[in-house]
Amino acid sequence: MRMGKIRRTEKSKITGIRVPRLVYSFRAASAVCLLLIAWPARAQTISLFAGNGNTTSSGDGGSATAAAINEPSGLAIDPAGDVYISDTNGWRVRRVNPAGIISTVAGNGTYGATGDGGQAINASFSDVFGIALDGAGNLYVADASNRRVRKVTAAGIVTTIAGTGVQGNTGDGGLATNATLNRPIAVALDAAGNLYICDSSNHNVRRVNLTTGLITTYAGNGVPAFAGDGGLATAASLMFPLAVATDKSGNLYVADAGNNCIRRVSSAGVIATVAGNGNLSGFAGDGAAATAALINLPSGVAVDGAGSLFIADSGNNRLRKVDATSGIISTMAGGDGNGSSGDGGPATNSLLDYPWGIAIDSTGALYIADRMNNRIRKISGAAVPPPPPPLPPAPAPSSTPTVTSFTPAAATGTAQTYSLQIGEASGWQDIDVVNVLINRSLDGRQACYLAYSQTNMLYLVNDNGDGLLPGMPLNGSGTLANSQCVVTGAGSSAVGSGNTLTLTLNISFTSALAGDRVVYAAARTLTLNSGWQTMGVLSVPPWPSNFPNGIGTTPSSGSAASATFAFTFGDANTAANLQTAWALFNTALDGRSACYIAYYRPGNQVLLYPDNGDPSKAASMVLAGANTLSNSQCTISAQGSSVAANVSQLTVNLNITFKPAFAGPKAVWMAVQTMGGAQTSQWRPLGAWVVPSN
């Protein structure tokens, strides 16, 4: 969740193990043939809806039943009754309107990964698999071999919303567009505005919050195995999951194909097996509990309005149903062997060939992507109509958030409770992420670097600055820790009201952070970023004991266009040994475009550096009378300025007026040098000042 540029000297690398690509066409998987008396589902009539059986992609503008569709795999239906079909090996998404006419809505028929930002029909896709629709007509496409999920708006514009195109399993906690995926094969939406991605070759399910754009792992630990039932889904093992679906209660169903079962993740994040036994593949169990049945490579799953579960039992060439009330499994369509027959008769007498995607329309009709038959089949009245597709999240705000206050701006000690306010004109709810970074400079390594997410979760970045540690909810009993700081959930909070979010952070600092630090903050909405702002300074004991040194400024923090600052410097022996003292106001330790001042004690002179920070071009004046010095950032007046010294300290009092163009939060750095340049201290950030804009 990094907000702005942080200077890095090297990039982190994650090395993965290359695994063979899974070929999803197990036409004749081994089966256990058992003879038993089944309780058959009530027979429904099956018919041909689209596809002529040819392995090409053609027929746009004509009847869908006369068109060619090349191994269709995904289905989605909008409220108007349009049926969307992923024409997988045609590298397109097709649409059949209620009149039965087929057309292309995405993909130009060329294998590739081009066209983002333009019309989807001119874009290139790879083998498109799962698709999903929201209530506004936005289409989400699992562009599997491109390792991306793409979105086609109702106006036909295509963009990438998840995945970089690079194979991997990284990016959790950050923007989905910066994450890496490994063959995303299916997608589903829930009513809360989340998109679930079946990240098949990573053996997990990822979730994208469509409001914030952030991605996390929702199920699967990345280990290809069968394990974890009864515990958190993130700790469980999946194996090549191929489909996902949601129900109206917030449960997620996963076709765990490599484990020959269907898993369910509750809204509380707990995983369980609801069909199949998670070990053996085969065909058995109709008429009994679904958890005792055998399933063979399930590749599709759907839930109707009553909560009944429909399974594309691909390796068995069947469509099966798990009744919501009894948990009994039965076959609805397909039979022994693969084939393409039965249209016009009972679905239970039909033959299918590797069925994959499933969708249900508003009348309860069920559609099957009969993949290897290159057809879409339809079973009328087979299900209870599901809820309408969820509406997409509200539009992203058009204003940029701003960190408007940060207290205390100047602090000392090993513990601190910070309070910062972030303003957003469109409302505090649109503030998605807030970052706070405490370090010597704007560097995420060996820092106290925090990220707040709109989900009321707080994260701490690891010592390397390249990843998030496990998060915790605010106002809880947990803690977050790295080598630099410990953040406590108790005493930390986020409260929103109107256009303002107030974030409170309870932090203690370790000795690894000892010394003088700068506090930076940033905030963003879904689309706009404030950039890093210098908000304060922190001194963590033990403090530097070497001299000469800058000691401090009074006032150490505040906000005004004019003020008289007392800059105090020290020497181990005598203040008379000090020659030149510096003070610099800026957002970073940079003499350019700064209020950059030097006091030369032997001549009682003040110097102000020019806008380019060149020391050789600094203007000077004697600290007397009505003399002034100016650059584009500030003016120094001799009137109201003075110098005082005691045995070991020198205090330079300067009357400074800041220019409106220099508005915003600044840090105050100080340094000092002894006579003849014998010793020069390091720069220390010792104050914070907010310059008003008028």
Side-chain angles (χ1 to χ4, degrees):
M1 298 184 187
R2 266 178 294 200
M3 299 298 306
K5 280 191 174 180
I6 291 180
R7 183 175 295 173
R8 299 292 307 275
T9 57
E10 62 183 44
K11 295 182 179 178
S12 61
K13 297 181 179 178
I14 297 176
T15 303
I17 298 174
R18 185 175 179 85
V19 296
R21 177 178 171 182
L22 180 65
V23 180
Y24 303 112
S25 56
F26 299 97
R27 300 280 297 274
S30 62
V32 177
C33 299
L34 300 177
L35 181 63
L36 50 85
I37 299 173
W39 298 348
R42 179 183 172 188
Q44 306 289 338
T45 300
I46 193 169
S47 60
L48 175 66
F49 178 78
N52 61 15
N54 293 331
T55 55
T56 58
S57 184
S58 61
D60 278 0
S63 171
T65 54
I69 307 170
N70 199 343
E71 293 193 19
S73 58
L75 294 167
I77 304 172
D78 69 18
D82 296 300
V83 178
Y84 292 73
I85 303 165
S86 60
D87 191 348
T88 301
N89 286 349
W91 310 313
R92 292 179 169 97
V93 178
R94 316 281 287 277
R95 179 176 61 200
V96 180
N97 69 17
I101 303 302
I102 194 168
S103 60
T104 295
V105 295
N108 59 15
T110 301
Y111 186 100
T114 63
D116 274 6
Q119 288 291 322
I121 55 173
N122 298 326
S124 59
F125 289 76
S126 68
D127 43 347
V128 292
F129 274 84
I131 53 178
L133 282 162
D134 66 26
N138 297 306
L139 176 70
Y140 301 84
V141 182
D143 195 356
S145 291
N146 282 331
R147 306 180 186 95
R148 293 179 169 97
V149 175
R150 299 169 83 178
K151 174 184 174 180
V152 180
T153 68
I157 302 300
V158 65
T159 56
T160 294
I161 62 168
T164 63
V166 176
Q167 177 179 312
N169 186 22
T170 64
D172 276 1
L175 289 173
T177 49
N178 295 332
T180 56
L181 308 172
N182 193 358
R183 199 158 178 78
I185 206 82
V187 287
L189 294 159
D190 69 13
N194 296 303
L195 176 72
Y196 297 86
I197 303 170
C198 205
D199 197 359
S200 184
S201 292
N202 280 329
H203 313 290
N204 62 25
V205 176
R206 315 281 286 275
R207 182 173 72 174
V208 179
N209 182 316
L210 293 177
T211 302
T212 65
L214 301 180
I215 191 170
T216 55
T217 295
Y218 192 73
N221 58 13
V223 177
F226 177 75
D229 274 4
L232 289 176
T234 50
S237 293
L238 307 174
M239 186 184 294
F240 291 109
L242 295 184
V244 282
T246 60
D247 67 16
K248 59 186 179 183
S249 298
N251 299 306
L252 176 75
Y253 295 82
V254 183
D256 193 359
N259 286 320
N260 304 295
C261 65
I262 306 297
R263 316 282 286 275
R264 180 181 64 205
V265 181
S266 72
S267 57
V270 176
I271 194 168
T273 297
V274 294
N277 63 19
N279 292 295
L280 296 175
S281 64
F283 175 71
D286 273 4
T291 50
L294 293 183
I295 302 172
N296 192 353
L297 211 75
S299 303
V301 63
V303 186
D304 73 4
S308 292
L309 187 65
F310 297 85
I311 304 166
D313 192 355
S314 304
N316 286 321
N317 302 300
R318 287 173 165 87
L319 175 73
R320 298 173 83 177
K321 174 183 177 181
V322 179
D323 184 80
T325 303
S326 65
I328 300 298
I329 193 169
S330 59
T331 294
M332 291 199 66
D336 294 334
N338 56 288
S340 180
S341 63
D343 286 344
T348 50
N349 293 340
S350 66
L351 290 179
L352 308 173
D353 194 354
Y354 215 73
W356 195 283
I358 309 168
I360 304 167
D361 71 14
S362 60
T363 70
L366 192 145
Y367 298 76
I368 310 164
D370 194 359
R371 186 177 175 193
M372 302 312 296
N373 280 325
N374 305 295
R375 291 179 167 94
I376 306 300
R377 314 283 284 277
K378 176 181 177 180
I379 306 175
S380 299
V384 175
L391 290 172
S398 57
S399 58
T400 301
T402 304
V403 183
T404 56
S405 71
F406 194 101
T407 55
T412 61
T414 58
Q416 195 60 242
T417 298
Y418 283 112
S419 178
L420 60 156
Q421 292 188 326
I422 304 95
E424 165 54 45
S426 61
W428 73 268
Q429 297 91 338
D430 289 326
I431 299 169
D432 298 320
V433 177
V434 178
N435 284 131
V436 174
L437 189 154
I438 304 173
N439 209 351
R440 287 190 176 89
S441 61
L442 193 55
D443 189 335
R445 297 166 296 178
Q446 283 74 55
C448 184
Y449 184 9
L450 300 99
Y452 161 78
S453 166
Q454 191 189 47
T455 58
N456 201 44
M457 292 291 289
L458 191 66
Y459 299 88
L460 188 61
V461 177
N462 64 20
D463 293 346
N464 292 329
D466 59 5
L468 296 174
L469 299 172
M472 70 172 181
L474 296 177
N475 271 333
S477 58
T479 59
L480 300 175
N482 65 10
S483 298
Q484 287 66 238
C485 62
V486 177
V487 187
T488 305
S492 297
S493 64
V495 178
S497 178
N499 296 328
T500 302
L501 172 69
T502 301
L503 186 62
T504 303
L505 300 172
N506 185 4
I507 311 175
S508 58
F509 307 102
T510 72
S511 59
L513 206 70
D516 304 306
R517 307 289 168 159
V518 182
V519 183
Y520 304 92
R524 74 164 176 81
T525 63
L526 181 61
T527 56
L528 297 171
N529 193 327
S530 71
W532 287 106
Q533 298 172 255
T534 303
M535 302 306 302
V537 293
L538 169 71
S539 291
V540 179
W543 295 292
S545 58
N546 55 308
F547 288 95
N549 225 326
I551 294 175
T553 177
T554 303
S556 60
S557 64
S559 177
S562 298
T564 298
F565 294 88
F567 302 102
T568 300
F569 305 87
D571 185 73
N573 298 309
T574 172
N577 191 41
L578 299 178
Q579 172 183 281
T580 307
W582 291 275
L584 187 152
F585 293 76
N586 209 350
T587 55
L589 188 55
D590 189 336
R592 297 167 296 179
S593 301
C595 184
Y596 184 13
I597 310 159
Y599 172 71
Y600 182 65
R601 191 187 60 79
N604 194 33
Q605 292 174 293
V606 173
L607 295 86
L608 181 64
Y609 292 89
D611 294 348
N612 64 7
D614 184 353
S616 66
K617 299 295 193 325
S620 65
M621 69 176 181
V622 175
L623 200 59
N627 294 332
T628 62
L629 293 173
S630 290
N631 65 11
S632 297
Q633 288 66 240
C634 62
T635 297
I636 315 298
S637 300
Q639 286 186 338
S641 298
S642 62
V643 177
N646 59 25
V647 175
S648 61
Q649 293 185 354
L650 172 71
T651 299
V652 181
N653 303 290
L654 294 178
N655 182 3
I656 305 175
T657 300
F658 300 103
K659 307 287 182 69
F662 195 50
K666 316 293 176 184
V668 185
W669 280 269
M670 295 170 58
V672 67
Q673 186 181 78
T674 59
M675 296 296 292
Q679 291 178 291
T680 304
S681 73
Q682 292 185 340
W683 286 99
R684 297 183 65 190
L686 293 172
W689 198 257
V690 178
V691 178
S693 58
N694 50 41

